[in-house]
Amino acid sequence: MTDARPRATHQTPASSHPASPARPHVSMERPASYGELQPVGGGDPIPLLKPTLMIGRRESSDIVLRFPNVSGTHCELSLVADHWVVKDLGSSNGTKVNGTRITECRLDPGDKVSIGRHEYEVCYNPAALSTGDGSAHSSPLRDIFSRSLLAAAGLENRRPQKPGRPRS
């Protein structure tokens, strides 16, 4: 069984391509994103593919940064209304926004977030994430309560039940 979650990984120089610089790698085709993290000083941008993203060194993270100064579960990015919010998860080397160590902070476009010793510029368009009523759109989580949990999980019976035949 393959993992179908979008996952951006950040390769260290000791990756399978020793001559290539450290670059993020997206493991599947890039769907519409909620913005991106642009490495300060150059490098490929890391797309923000979901409204909530775990960032850390562990392979289970949504964005994997393979650096020794990044904690296993370092921080979390969450889309709240039409802005990103970063929350430090008790990391050893901390999370900074525009040079100030934070525990939780709203991220505006152009802000610089440092994860360990690695700095990224936050790039997104709040107007593109807003429907005008303060809620994010284009998210499968937006209308989660508008249908049954079975339908949301794709488990609802798709065949109509024949009349007069009880379910077993």
Side-chain angles (χ1 to χ4, degrees):
M1 176 184 238
T2 60
D3 185 8
R5 290 188 330 192
R7 184 187 321 243
T9 59
H10 203 276
Q11 301 290 328
T12 58
S15 69
S16 60
H17 304 290
S20 67
R23 297 180 7 199
H25 169 73
V26 179
S27 62
M28 58 187 289
E29 283 188 39
R30 190 186 296 191
S33 76
Y34 296 97
E36 62 188 20
L37 295 177
Q38 178 66 50
V40 173
D44 293 336
I46 301 170
L48 304 174
L49 301 175
K50 301 187 320 185
T52 302
L53 296 161
M54 183 73 60
I55 299 175
R57 202 175 61 242
R58 288 189 185 155
E59 289 298 318
S60 60
S61 297
D62 297 305
I63 299 174
V64 177
L65 300 177
R66 294 186 183 102
F67 298 106
N69 57 12
V70 173
S71 295
T73 53
H74 198 97
C75 62
E76 179 182 74
L77 289 176
S78 301
L79 190 58
V80 177
D82 57 356
H83 281 82
W84 284 100
V85 172
V86 63
K87 180 180 181 181
D88 186 79
L89 300 174
S91 63
S92 300
N93 292 308
T95 303
K96 295 180 181 178
V97 174
N98 298 324
T100 304
R101 193 167 181 155
I102 57 93
T103 54
E104 186 168 357
C105 183
R106 173 179 150 159
L107 296 171
D108 292 316
D111 280 350
K112 305 256 188 323
V113 61
S114 298
I115 302 166
R117 292 187 203 134
H118 305 277
E119 189 173 37
Y120 301 89
E121 181 178 352
V122 181
C123 303
Y124 71 98
N125 181 356
L129 300 177
S130 176
T131 60
D133 62 358
S135 63
H137 70 83
S138 301
S139 169
L141 299 177
R142 180 174 166 230
D143 296 319
I144 192 77
F145 296 112
S146 66
R147 54 191 174 145
S148 75
L149 289 175
L150 287 174
L155 300 173
E156 193 168 68
N157 190 357
R158 295 182 186 184
R159 291 182 285 156
Q161 184 179 357
K162 294 182 181 177
R165 194 171 197 187
R167 286 187 175 173
S168 52

